[in-house]
Amino acid sequence: MRYLIPTLRSTALLLVILLLTGSIHAATRIIEGHGYDNLIEIRNGSTQVILEPNMGGRVLAYKLNGVEILYQDPAQAGLHPTREVSVHRIAGGRFDVGPTFALPQHNTIWQCAWTGEITGDFSARLTSQIDPDLGIQLVRDFTLSPDNSKLDCKQTIINHNDVPFRGCFWSRTFAKGGGVSFAPLNEDSRLPMGYALNLDPRGGYQFLPQPEPAIRVRENILEVFTEPSDPKSIFNLSEGWLAYISPDNLLFLKTFPFDPSWRYADPPQHHASFWHLKDEIVEIEPNGPQEIIPPGGQASFTETWQLIPFKLPSDKQVDLGKLRKTVKAHQ
């Protein structure tokens, strides 16, 4: 009987093929956790993303080297809501459509079941039902870089109505609180102070907010340290990014398409907002421009997430020059 003895070269090649095959198969897969058996995990050497299709098509986890940035609520594990009863403060990386004051409540796409599918080695898709209140359907495509934490989050609105749909993209990501939020302000802002505080959820704003320790503008960057006297702040941007540095020394950076000449859907014409709940939750909310989508048409908007190690000083006085340099290097 003859035996084939592999050469060192063929053995090495076989090992490389096996390693590559294993990493590809392990990069995106269906997993169990948080009370669900149909989560989608996308993973590379440093970053883990978990997509959750059971309650609103959200990002349930986003971790760099095992450190979570998103707000979690263990009490919500395994929930399968219907559209009749709203779930309070759904955790994780949420997305929505606006404008805030013009659209009716749309629980079917906000909190009901979506479908999930793996679309590539490092990508997956979540697709909503057609919402009976809005007549639209949402598709969210997520693509993780094989080499780092860069996560592209593309949301597409499909109009199933027989009339145009007027709306916008609205990201509503919950991060763990206790850190500092940052936004680059536009010197030619429509808002007198560059930012305003939202007095109530139906449209009351303080356009000349009084100084307070929770919020300030320094070097033309808005800094929010904790919940202000009114928890939601809105602002006009000079660049398409928002940042948050967590107590775990992670910089959560969001970048997105932006043009100050675009028309935005909410009356104050703001480009983005933060919402703070004490030191528990920070909501990071870039807006897309107003879209007028014809019957049968669609429109898309992509924001990119990144997690970057960045030391949060004990006094929370961040070197803004260093922050700007870090942001520029990752745009």
Side-chain angles (χ1 to χ4, degrees), residues 30-83:
I30 305 298
I31 64 169
E32 297 181 4
H34 301 266
Y36 302 111
D37 60 5
N38 61 343
L39 304 177
I40 300 176
E41 179 192 61
I42 313 175
R43 178 189 286 270
N44 61 29
S46 65
T47 309
Q48 181 192 34
V49 177
I50 297 177
L51 307 178
E52 193 282 287
N54 305 281
M55 187 163 58
R58 57 195 168 128
V59 182
L60 188 59
Y62 183 42
K63 299 180 181 180
L64 179 67
N65 298 321
V67 180
E68 178 66 73
I69 192 67
L70 300 181
Y71 168 75
Q72 306 289 322
D73 185 353
Q76 295 178 353
L79 290 184
H80 294 268
T82 63
R83 65 189 295 266

Coordinates of all heavy atoms in Angstrom, one line a residue, residues 30-83:
I30 N -25.6 32.4 12.9 CA -26.8 32.5 13.7 C -26.4 32.0 15.1 O -25.8 30.9 15.3 CB -28.0 31.6 13.2 CG1 -28.3 32.0 11.7 CG2 -29.2 31.8 14.1 CD1 -28.8 33.5 11.6
I31 N -26.8 32.7 16.2 CA -26.5 32.3 17.5 C -27.7 32.5 18.4 O -28.7 33.1 18.1 CB -25.3 33.2 18.1 CG1 -25.7 34.6 18.2 CG2 -24.0 33.0 17.3 CD1 -24.7 35.5 19.0
E32 N -27.6 31.9 19.6 CA -28.6 32.1 20.7 C -28.1 33.0 21.7 O -26.9 33.1 22.0 CB -28.9 30.7 21.3 CG -29.5 29.7 20.4 CD -29.9 28.4 21.0 OE1 -29.7 28.3 22.3 OE2 -30.3 27.5 20.4
G33 N -29.0 33.7 22.4 CA -28.6 34.6 23.5 C -29.7 35.6 23.8 O -30.6 35.8 22.9
H34 N -29.6 36.2 24.9 CA -30.6 37.3 25.3 C -32.0 36.8 25.2 O -32.9 37.6 24.9 CB -30.4 38.5 24.5 CG -29.0 39.1 24.6 ND1 -28.7 40.1 25.5 CD2 -27.8 38.8 23.9 CE1 -27.4 40.4 25.3 NE2 -26.9 39.7 24.4
G35 N -32.3 35.5 25.4 CA -33.6 34.9 25.3 C -34.1 34.7 23.9 O -35.3 34.3 23.7
Y36 N -33.2 34.8 22.9 CA -33.6 34.5 21.5 C -32.7 33.4 20.9 O -31.6 33.2 21.3 CB -33.4 35.8 20.6 CG -34.2 37.0 21.1 CD1 -33.6 38.1 21.7 CD2 -35.6 37.0 21.0 CE1 -34.3 39.2 22.1 CE2 -36.3 38.1 21.4 CZ -35.7 39.2 22.0 OH -36.4 40.3 22.5
D37 N -33.2 32.7 19.8 CA -32.5 31.7 19.2 C -32.2 32.0 17.7 O -31.7 31.2 17.0 CB -33.2 30.4 19.2 CG -34.6 30.4 18.6 OD1 -34.9 31.4 18.0 OD2 -35.3 29.4 18.6
N38 N -32.4 33.3 17.3 CA -32.2 33.7 15.9 C -31.4 35.0 15.8 O -31.6 35.7 14.8 CB -33.6 33.8 15.2 CG -34.4 34.9 15.8 OD1 -34.2 35.3 17.0 ND2 -35.5 35.3 15.1
L39 N -30.5 35.2 16.7 CA -29.6 36.4 16.6 C -28.6 36.2 15.5 O -28.2 35.0 15.2 CB -28.9 36.7 17.9 CG -29.8 36.8 19.1 CD1 -29.0 37.0 20.4 CD2 -30.8 38.0 18.9
I40 N -28.1 37.2 14.9 CA -27.1 37.2 13.9 C -25.8 37.8 14.4 O -25.9 39.0 14.8 CB -27.5 37.8 12.5 CG1 -28.7 37.2 12.0 CG2 -26.3 37.8 11.5 CD1 -29.3 37.8 10.7
E41 N -24.8 37.1 14.5 CA -23.5 37.6 15.0 C -22.6 37.8 13.8 O -22.4 36.9 12.9 CB -22.8 36.6 15.9 CG -21.5 37.1 16.4 CD -20.7 36.0 17.2 OE1 -20.4 35.0 16.6 OE2 -20.4 36.2 18.4
I42 N -22.0 39.0 13.7 CA -20.9 39.3 12.8 C -19.7 39.6 13.6 O -19.7 40.4 14.5 CB -21.2 40.5 11.9 CG1 -22.6 40.4 11.3 CG2 -20.2 40.6 10.8 CD1 -23.0 41.6 10.5
R43 N -18.6 38.9 13.3 CA -17.4 39.0 14.2 C -16.1 39.0 13.4 O -16.0 38.3 12.3 CB -17.4 37.8 15.2 CG -16.2 37.8 16.1 CD -16.1 36.4 16.9 NE -17.1 36.3 17.9 CZ -17.0 36.7 19.1 NH1 -15.8 37.3 19.5 NH2 -17.9 36.6 20.0
N44 N -15.1 39.8 13.8 CA -13.8 39.7 13.3 C -12.8 39.5 14.5 O -13.3 39.3 15.6 CB -13.4 40.9 12.4 CG -13.5 42.2 13.1 OD1 -13.3 42.3 14.3 ND2 -13.7 43.3 12.4
G45 N -11.5 39.8 14.3 CA -10.6 39.5 15.4 C -10.8 40.4 16.6 O -10.4 40.0 17.7
S46 N -11.4 41.6 16.5 CA -11.5 42.5 17.6 C -12.9 42.9 17.9 O -13.2 43.4 19.0 CB -10.7 43.8 17.3 OG -11.3 44.5 16.1
T47 N -13.8 42.7 17.0 CA -15.2 43.3 17.1 C -16.3 42.3 17.0 O -16.2 41.4 16.1 CB -15.3 44.4 16.0 OG1 -14.2 45.3 16.0 CG2 -16.6 45.2 16.2
Q48 N -17.3 42.5 17.8 CA -18.5 41.6 17.8 C -19.7 42.5 17.6 O -19.9 43.5 18.3 CB -18.6 40.8 19.0 CG -19.9 39.9 19.0 CD -20.2 39.3 20.4 OE1 -19.9 39.9 21.4 NE2 -20.7 38.0 20.4
V49 N -20.5 42.2 16.6 CA -21.8 42.8 16.4 C -22.9 41.7 16.5 O -22.7 40.7 15.9 CB -21.8 43.5 15.0 CG1 -23.2 44.1 14.7 CG2 -20.7 44.5 14.8
I50 N -23.9 42.0 17.2 CA -25.1 41.1 17.3 C -26.3 41.8 16.8 O -26.7 42.9 17.4 CB -25.3 40.5 18.7 CG1 -24.0 39.7 19.1 CG2 -26.5 39.6 18.8 CD1 -24.1 39.2 20.6
L51 N -27.0 41.3 15.8 CA -28.2 41.9 15.3 C -29.4 41.1 15.8 O -29.4 39.9 15.9 CB -28.2 41.8 13.8 CG -27.0 42.4 13.1 CD1 -27.1 42.3 11.6 CD2 -26.8 43.9 13.4
E52 N -30.5 41.8 16.2 CA -31.6 41.2 16.8 C -32.9 41.6 16.0 O -33.3 42.7 16.0 CB -31.7 41.8 18.3 CG -32.6 41.0 19.2 CD -34.1 41.4 18.9 OE1 -34.5 42.5 19.3 OE2 -34.8 40.6 18.4
P53 N -33.5 40.6 15.4 CA -34.7 40.8 14.5 C -36.0 40.7 15.2 O -37.1 40.9 14.6 CB -34.5 39.7 13.5 CG -33.9 38.6 14.2 CD -33.0 39.2 15.2
N54 N -36.1 40.4 16.5 CA -37.4 40.1 17.1 C -38.1 41.3 17.7 O -39.3 41.3 17.9 CB -37.1 39.1 18.3 CG -36.4 37.9 17.9 OD1 -37.0 37.0 17.3 ND2 -35.1 37.8 18.1
M55 N -37.4 42.4 17.9 CA -38.0 43.6 18.5 C -37.4 44.8 17.9 O -36.6 45.5 18.4 CB -37.7 43.6 20.0 CG -38.5 44.7 20.8 SD -38.6 44.5 22.6 CE -36.9 44.4 23.1
G56 N -37.8 45.0 16.6 CA -37.5 46.3 16.0 C -36.3 46.3 15.1 O -35.9 47.4 14.7
G57 N -35.6 45.2 14.8 CA -34.5 45.2 13.9 C -33.4 46.1 14.4 O -32.9 47.0 13.7
R58 N -32.8 45.7 15.5 CA -31.8 46.6 16.2 C -30.4 45.9 16.3 O -30.3 44.7 16.0 CB -32.3 47.0 17.6 CG -32.5 45.8 18.5 CD -33.3 46.1 19.7 NE -33.8 44.9 20.4 CZ -33.6 44.6 21.6 NH1 -33.0 45.4 22.4 NH2 -34.0 43.4 22.1
V59 N -29.4 46.7 16.6 CA -28.1 46.2 17.0 C -28.1 45.9 18.5 O -28.2 46.9 19.2 CB -27.0 47.1 16.6 CG1 -25.6 46.5 16.9 CG2 -27.0 47.5 15.1
L60 N -28.1 44.7 18.8 CA -28.2 44.3 20.3 C -26.9 44.5 21.0 O -26.8 44.9 22.2 CB -28.7 42.9 20.4 CG -29.1 42.5 21.8 CD1 -30.1 43.3 22.4 CD2 -29.5 41.0 21.8
A61 N -25.7 44.2 20.3 CA -24.4 44.4 20.9 C -23.4 44.9 19.9 O -23.5 44.5 18.7 CB -23.9 43.0 21.5
Y62 N -22.5 45.7 20.4 CA -21.4 46.2 19.6 C -20.2 46.4 20.5 O -20.2 47.3 21.3 CB -21.8 47.6 19.0 CG -20.8 48.2 18.0 CD1 -20.1 47.5 17.1 CD2 -20.6 49.6 18.1 CE1 -19.2 48.0 16.2 CE2 -19.7 50.2 17.2 CZ -19.0 49.4 16.3 OH -18.1 50.0 15.4
K63 N -19.2 45.4 20.4 CA -18.2 45.3 21.3 C -16.8 45.4 20.6 O -16.6 44.8 19.5 CB -18.2 44.0 22.1 CG -19.5 43.8 22.9 CD -19.4 42.4 23.6 CE -20.7 42.1 24.4 NZ -20.6 40.8 25.1
L64 N -15.9 46.1 21.3 CA -14.5 46.1 20.9 C -13.6 45.4 21.9 O -13.7 45.8 23.1 CB -14.0 47.5 20.7 CG -12.5 47.6 20.2 CD1 -12.3 47.1 18.8 CD2 -12.0 49.1 20.3
N65 N -13.0 44.3 21.6 CA -12.2 43.5 22.5 C -13.0 43.1 23.8 O -12.5 43.2 24.9 CB -10.9 44.2 22.9 CG -10.0 44.5 21.7 OD1 -9.9 43.6 20.8 ND2 -9.4 45.7 21.6
G66 N -14.2 42.8 23.5 CA -15.1 42.3 24.6 C -15.8 43.4 25.4 O -16.6 43.1 26.3
V67 N -15.5 44.7 25.1 CA -16.1 45.8 25.9 C -17.3 46.3 25.1 O -17.2 46.8 24.0 CB -15.0 46.9 26.1 CG1 -15.7 48.1 26.9 CG2 -13.8 46.4 26.8
E68 N -18.5 46.3 25.8 CA -19.7 46.7 25.1 C -19.9 48.3 25.2 O -19.6 48.9 26.3 CB -20.9 46.1 25.9 CG -22.3 46.5 25.4 CD -22.5 46.0 24.0 OE1 -22.7 44.8 23.8 OE2 -22.5 46.9 23.1
I69 N -20.4 48.9 24.1 CA -20.7 50.3 24.1 C -22.2 50.6 24.3 O -22.6 51.6 24.8 CB -20.1 51.0 22.9 CG1 -20.1 52.5 23.0 CG2 -20.9 50.5 21.6 CD1 -19.2 53.1 24.0
L70 N -23.0 49.6 23.9 CA -24.5 49.9 23.8 C -25.1 49.6 25.2 O -24.7 48.8 25.9 CB -25.1 49.0 22.8 CG -24.6 49.2 21.3 CD1 -25.4 48.3 20.4 CD2 -24.8 50.7 20.9
Y71 N -26.1 50.4 25.4 CA -27.0 50.2 26.6 C -27.7 48.9 26.6 O -28.3 48.6 25.5 CB -27.9 51.4 26.8 CG -29.0 51.2 27.8 CD1 -28.7 51.3 29.2 CD2 -30.3 50.9 27.5 CE1 -29.7 51.1 30.1 CE2 -31.3 50.7 28.4 CZ -31.0 50.8 29.7 OH -32.0 50.6 30.7
Q72 N -27.7 48.1 27.6 CA -28.4 46.9 27.7 C -29.5 46.9 28.8 O -29.3 47.6 29.8 CB -27.4 45.7 28.0 CG -26.2 45.6 27.1 CD -26.5 45.1 25.7 OE1 -27.4 44.3 25.6 NE2 -25.9 45.7 24.7
D73 N -30.5 46.1 28.6 CA -31.6 46.0 29.6 C -31.9 44.5 29.7 O -32.7 44.0 28.9 CB -32.8 46.8 29.2 CG -33.9 46.8 30.3 OD1 -33.7 46.0 31.3 OD2 -34.9 47.5 30.2
P74 N -31.4 43.8 30.7 CA -31.7 42.3 30.8 C -33.1 42.0 30.9 O -33.6 40.9 30.6 CB -30.9 42.0 32.0 CG -29.8 43.0 32.2 CD -30.4 44.3 31.7
A75 N -33.9 43.0 31.4 CA -35.4 42.7 31.6 C -36.1 42.6 30.3 O -37.2 42.0 30.2 CB -36.0 43.8 32.4
Q76 N -35.5 43.0 29.2 CA -36.1 42.9 27.9 C -35.7 41.6 27.1 O -36.2 41.4 26.0 CB -35.7 44.1 27.0 CG -36.2 45.4 27.5 CD -35.8 46.6 26.7 OE1 -35.0 46.5 25.8 NE2 -36.3 47.8 27.0
A77 N -34.9 40.8 27.7 CA -34.5 39.6 27.1 C -35.7 38.7 26.7 O -36.6 38.4 27.5 CB -33.5 38.8 28.0
G78 N -35.7 38.3 25.4 CA -36.7 37.3 25.0 C -38.0 38.0 24.6 O -39.0 37.2 24.3
L79 N -38.2 39.3 24.7 CA -39.5 39.9 24.4 C -39.8 39.8 22.9 O -38.9 39.9 22.0 CB -39.4 41.4 24.8 CG -39.4 41.7 26.3 CD1 -39.5 43.2 26.4 CD2 -40.5 41.0 27.0
H80 N -41.1 39.6 22.6 CA -41.6 39.6 21.2 C -42.9 40.5 21.2 O -44.0 40.0 21.3 CB -42.0 38.1 20.8 CG -40.8 37.2 20.7 ND1 -40.2 37.0 19.5 CD2 -40.2 36.4 21.6 CE1 -39.2 36.2 19.7 NE2 -39.2 35.8 20.9
P81 N -42.7 41.8 21.2 CA -43.8 42.7 21.4 C -44.8 42.6 20.2 O -44.4 42.3 19.0 CB -43.2 44.1 21.5 CG -41.8 43.8 21.7 CD -41.4 42.5 21.1
T82 N -46.0 43.0 20.4 CA -47.0 43.3 19.4 C -47.0 44.8 19.2 O -46.4 45.5 19.9 CB -48.4 42.7 19.7 OG1 -48.8 43.4 20.9 CG2 -48.3 41.2 20.0
R83 N -47.8 45.2 18.2 CA -47.9 46.7 18.0 C -48.8 47.4 18.9 O -48.8 48.6 19.0 CB -48.3 46.9 16.5 CG -49.7 46.5 16.2 CD -50.0 46.6 14.7 NE -50.0 47.9 14.2 CZ -51.0 48.7 14.0 NH1 -52.2 48.3 14.4 NH2 -50.9 49.9 13.6

